[in-house]
Amino acid sequence: MKIISLVIKIVILLVFLLLAIANIHMVDFNYLPGQKVNTPLIIVLFGAFVIGVAFGMFALFGRLLGLRAENNRLRAEVKKNARFTQAAQVVAQNSPVPSENTKPKV
């Protein structure tokens, strides 16, 4: 499975490398009104990719905080239930168990 994963990663890397090599021609990038810079197309595409990843991470950050809070709440609940279960076991061990010799008289 690791070999298949490695092969897929190498193929994806080669595809992106070919994309970079194919898009080296120069384009005008207008970043402010009246301001432009002449850069290779792959740099503009990579910049757009990085900005998209950053926005995606910011969008998921709120969900991450919510899941972390829920995880902490559930951990506290599990600890509480574990203490309750442990206390119940101690009580059960300390309570007298009727032996077979002491049968109720009928």
Side-chain angles (χ1 to χ4, degrees):
M1 188 66 184
K2 289 183 181 182
I3 294 174
I4 294 172
S5 174
L6 180 65
V7 169
I8 290 172
K9 288 177 185 178
I10 290 173
V11 168
I12 291 172
L13 177 68
L14 289 175
V15 167
F16 284 128
L17 184 64
L18 290 173
L19 180 69
I21 292 171
N23 290 306
I24 57 171
H25 57 283
M26 303 300 276
V27 295
D28 288 333
F29 177 66
N30 298 312
Y31 58 95
L32 289 175
Q35 302 289 324
K36 67 179 177 178
V37 101
N38 198 11
T39 60
L41 179 59
I42 191 63
I43 300 296
V44 175
L45 291 174
F46 183 71
F49 174 75
V50 169
I51 290 171
V53 167
F55 278 127
M57 289 175 61
F58 285 131
L60 291 175
F61 190 67
R63 178 76 175 138
L64 174 71
L65 290 177
L67 289 173
R68 186 173 289 174
E70 183 179 0
N71 192 11
N72 289 336
R73 182 186 60 79
L74 291 173
R75 281 181 193 269
E77 187 176 331
V78 166
K79 283 182 183 180
K80 177 183 168 186
N81 288 339
R83 278 184 265 152
F84 177 74
T85 303
Q86 187 179 19
Q89 288 175 349
V90 168
V91 168
Q93 288 174 353
N94 292 336
S95 66
V97 178
S99 64
E100 293 178 15
N101 296 337
T102 58
K103 293 183 181 178
K105 297 177 183 179
V106 179

